[in-house]
Amino acid sequence: MQKSVNIQNRKARFQYEILDKYTAGIVLTGTEIKSIRSGKASIAESFCEFNDRMELFVVNMTIEEYAFGTHYNHKPKATRKLLLNKKELKKLQKEVQNTGLTIIPLRLFINDKGFAKLDIALARGKKLYDKRETIKDRDNKRNLDRIKKIYK
């Protein structure tokens, strides 16, 4: 079992422009938290959405079944409720409805108290030319670092 769990959504910063960040708790069962602590989770293609009672859920997050679980084991792709303050939920829902932004998970981690937390972000999808510009900037930075390393 790993000491610190830090599962990231690496494609999120490439595909979306991050506007605002929040840290949310997750409602989990016993076998789900055990699988997360062993590092067997993925948030690569997940997103967050509201239901009709203004509750926020993470959809498409994969937590593999616990190896030593019995018939009480969880479903790997179940929707899981996120825990935020009412004020934050109202703000997020207003932004999503009015401006068409989306909520994406950035990082899944375990805090000091042993609770699973999810860093979520209010984001706007990037256009194709923005993605090309990001790739170009990354390549230029890499080449500049190479040149600096040679002449040190």
Side-chain angles (χ1 to χ4, degrees), residues 4-5 20 30 38 44 47 56 65 74 77 97 101 134 147 149:
S4 65
V5 176
D20 205 2
S38 61
F47 61 95
L56 188 63
E65 288 187 356
H74 64 277
K77 288 246 184 196
Q97 282 181 343
L101 300 176
T134 304
I147 292 169
K149 189 175 180 181

Side-chain angles (χ1 to χ4, degrees), residues 72-88:
Y72 294 112
N73 226 335
H74 64 277
K75 295 177 186 168
K77 288 246 184 196
T79 58
R80 293 165 179 95
K81 185 176 178 179
L82 295 179
L83 305 171
L84 286 167
N85 295 334
K86 270 189 181 177
K87 192 180 197 181
E88 293 172 334

Side-chain angles (χ1 to χ4, degrees), residues 49-57 79 81-82 84-86 89-90 93 97:
E49 67 181 6
F50 285 94
N51 69 353
D52 54 344
R53 291 189 289 167
M54 211 180 101
E55 296 172 333
L56 188 63
F57 287 87
T79 58
K81 185 176 178 179
L82 295 179
L84 286 167
N85 295 334
K86 270 189 181 177
L89 285 171
K90 283 181 184 177
Q93 188 173 30
Q97 282 181 343

Side-chain angles (χ1 to χ4, degrees), residues 109-137:
F109 65 98
I110 304 239
N111 69 357
D112 298 335
K113 294 183 180 180
F115 296 125
K117 300 286 183 175
L118 191 67
D119 280 343
I120 59 173
L122 193 62
R124 179 183 299 123
K126 282 187 182 178
K127 305 286 187 216
L128 181 62
Y129 55 84
D130 289 334
K131 291 180 187 177
R132 286 181 184 157
E133 192 174 307
T134 304
I135 292 170
K136 191 169 91 175
D137 290 342

